């Protein structure tokens, strides 16, 4: 069995990352995540990696990845190792899924959204809008076998992770404090590979964070709800769990999270003035104070001051 354990332990030092999905250019919300994770890495003299999460091809926009790279560079947010693209790492996710199959923790699911809705309705469960349905376990066998590996990769069925009963996961978020989630009640057996053959975010992010030796995850609070799932998956795969810090979300004027779906507009980084303006907005959102606001401050100077401001903020909280 390949050893997929975390190849570099936290003792090797801080390794952070920014992992945008190329579904469009960076907007104010994604810049906050980029800046927050970059500052935290710099303040810890750590490495900051860039990973393009481009597995959900129907949602990806051609060229958005290159645009994101350009925007980051224009903002002075440089990365330390070769950026990676998840679309080029499918073999890793396949291996992880096969390994989970060997552990008898995955099973095929043929449910459509409608079947799941019906099964939930039959139990009197209605899912509020904007919330994911809790999978009722319709396809879960009594005893989960190890399927033949060829089957694990068959298209046309989804592969779900079987959760152990009574799994209440607790973790500490460095900004938000102790969090807990009852995975069975709130999520259910979740999908690792979709019916269309696409590996899910949950599986890919866990495999990549471990294989890239990520020790610190700093990202938007919209992802907080995924964290318990990811920690559970890390535990099943025998990976180390990084530390987590979720940043406050940027909301639009209607109180909705900024996203490509709500047509959040791209940040402007055509020149240094504009980039600095965007960085200043992101820093205000992060609650950083006493930053140079002069017209002729360079981005490099400003980022240095912001790193110190981040340090003051973290050490005082
Ligand atoms: N690709 C995810 C997103 O853009 C973020 C992944 C992560 O930071 O864990 O929302
Ligand atoms: Zn099913």
């Amino acid at each position: 069995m390949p050893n997929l354990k975390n190849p570099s332990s936290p003792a090797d030092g801080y390794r952070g990352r920014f992992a945008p999905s190329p579904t469009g250019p960076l907007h104010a919300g994604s810049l906050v995540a980029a800046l927050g994770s970059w500052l935290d890495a710099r303040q810890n003299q750590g490495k900051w990696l860039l990973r393009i999460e481009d597995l959900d091809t129907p949602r990806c926009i051609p060229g958005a990845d290159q645009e994101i790279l350009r925007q980051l560079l224009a903002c002075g947010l440089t990365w330390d190792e070769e950026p990676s693209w998840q679309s080029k790492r499918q073999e890793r996710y396949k291996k992880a899924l096969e390994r989970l199959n060997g552990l008898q923790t995955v099973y095929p699911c043929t449910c459509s959204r409608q079947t799941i809705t019906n099964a939930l309705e039959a139990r009197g469960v209605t899912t509020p809008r904007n919330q994911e349905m809790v999978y009722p376990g319709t396809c879960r066998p009594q005893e989960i076998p190890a399927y033949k590996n060829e089957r694990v990769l068959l298209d046309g069925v989804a592969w779900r992770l079987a959760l152990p009963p009574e799994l209440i996961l607790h973790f500490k978020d460095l900004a938000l404090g102790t969090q807990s989630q009852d995975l069975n009640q709130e999520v259910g057996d979740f999908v690792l590979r979709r019916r269309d053959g696409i590996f899910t975010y949950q599986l890919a992010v866990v495999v990549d964070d471990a294989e890239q030796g990520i020790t610190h995850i700093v990202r938007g609070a919209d992802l907080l709800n995924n964290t318990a799932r990811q920690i559970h998956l890390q535990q099943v795969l025998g990976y180390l769990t990084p530390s987590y810090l979720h940043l406050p979300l940027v909301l639009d004027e209607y109180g909705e999270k900024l996203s490509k779906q709500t047509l959040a507009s791209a940040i402007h980084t055509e020149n240094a003035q504009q980039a600095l303006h965007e960085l200043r907005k992101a820093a205000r959102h992060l609650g950083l104070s006493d930053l140079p606001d002069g017209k002729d401050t360079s981005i490099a100077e400003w980022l240095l001051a912001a790193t110190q401001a981040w340090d003051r903020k973290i050490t005082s909280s």
Side-chain angles (χ1 to χ4, degrees), residues 108-111 135 138-139 160:
C109 164
T110 52
C111 297
Y135 183 65
T138 319
C139 298
R160 289 184 183 270

Short mmCIF file of all heavy atoms in Angstrom, two decimals, residues 108-111 135 138-139 160, ligand 2:
data_model
loop_
_atom_site.label_atom_id
_atom_site.label_comp_id
_atom_site.label_asym_id
_atom_site.label_seq_id
_atom_site.Cartn_x
_atom_site.Cartn_y
_atom_site.Cartn_z
N PRO A 108 -20.80 2.64 -3.29
CA PRO A 108 -21.39 3.34 -4.44
C PRO A 108 -22.82 3.79 -4.15
O PRO A 108 -23.54 3.10 -3.44
CB PRO A 108 -21.38 2.27 -5.54
CG PRO A 108 -21.41 0.97 -4.81
CD PRO A 108 -20.74 1.18 -3.49
N CYS A 109 -23.18 4.91 -4.72
CA CYS A 109 -24.53 5.47 -4.52
C CYS A 109 -25.09 5.85 -5.87
O CYS A 109 -24.43 6.51 -6.66
CB CYS A 109 -24.43 6.69 -3.62
SG CYS A 109 -25.88 7.76 -3.62
N THR A 110 -26.30 5.39 -6.13
CA THR A 110 -26.92 5.68 -7.42
C THR A 110 -28.06 6.69 -7.30
O THR A 110 -28.81 6.89 -8.23
CB THR A 110 -27.50 4.36 -8.02
OG1 THR A 110 -28.33 3.76 -7.03
CG2 THR A 110 -26.40 3.41 -8.41
N CYS A 111 -28.16 7.31 -6.13
CA CYS A 111 -29.27 8.25 -5.92
C CYS A 111 -29.12 9.50 -6.78
O CYS A 111 -28.03 10.03 -6.93
CB CYS A 111 -29.32 8.71 -4.47
SG CYS A 111 -29.63 7.40 -3.30
N TYR A 135 -27.52 13.25 3.59
CA TYR A 135 -27.78 11.99 2.88
C TYR A 135 -28.34 10.94 3.84
O TYR A 135 -27.74 10.64 4.87
CB TYR A 135 -26.47 11.48 2.24
CG TYR A 135 -26.69 10.23 1.43
CD1 TYR A 135 -27.50 10.26 0.29
CD2 TYR A 135 -26.15 9.01 1.81
CE1 TYR A 135 -27.74 9.12 -0.44
CE2 TYR A 135 -26.37 7.85 1.08
CZ TYR A 135 -27.17 7.92 -0.05
OH TYR A 135 -27.40 6.78 -0.76
N THR A 138 -29.45 5.85 1.93
CA THR A 138 -30.25 4.94 1.11
C THR A 138 -29.44 3.78 0.51
O THR A 138 -29.88 2.64 0.54
CB THR A 138 -30.91 5.73 -0.04
OG1 THR A 138 -31.35 6.98 0.47
CG2 THR A 138 -32.05 4.97 -0.67
N CYS A 139 -28.29 4.05 -0.03
CA CYS A 139 -27.51 3.02 -0.74
C CYS A 139 -26.49 2.32 0.15
O CYS A 139 -25.73 1.48 -0.33
CB CYS A 139 -26.77 3.65 -1.91
SG CYS A 139 -27.85 4.35 -3.15
N ARG A 160 -19.44 7.31 -1.84
CA ARG A 160 -19.63 8.03 -0.58
C ARG A 160 -18.79 7.43 0.52
O ARG A 160 -18.54 6.22 0.55
CB ARG A 160 -21.11 7.97 -0.15
CG ARG A 160 -22.02 8.80 -1.02
CD ARG A 160 -23.45 8.78 -0.48
NE ARG A 160 -24.33 9.53 -1.36
CZ ARG A 160 -24.58 10.83 -1.25
NH1 ARG A 160 -24.05 11.53 -0.26
NH2 ARG A 160 -25.38 11.44 -2.11
ZN1 LIG B 2 -27.69 6.55 -2.82
#
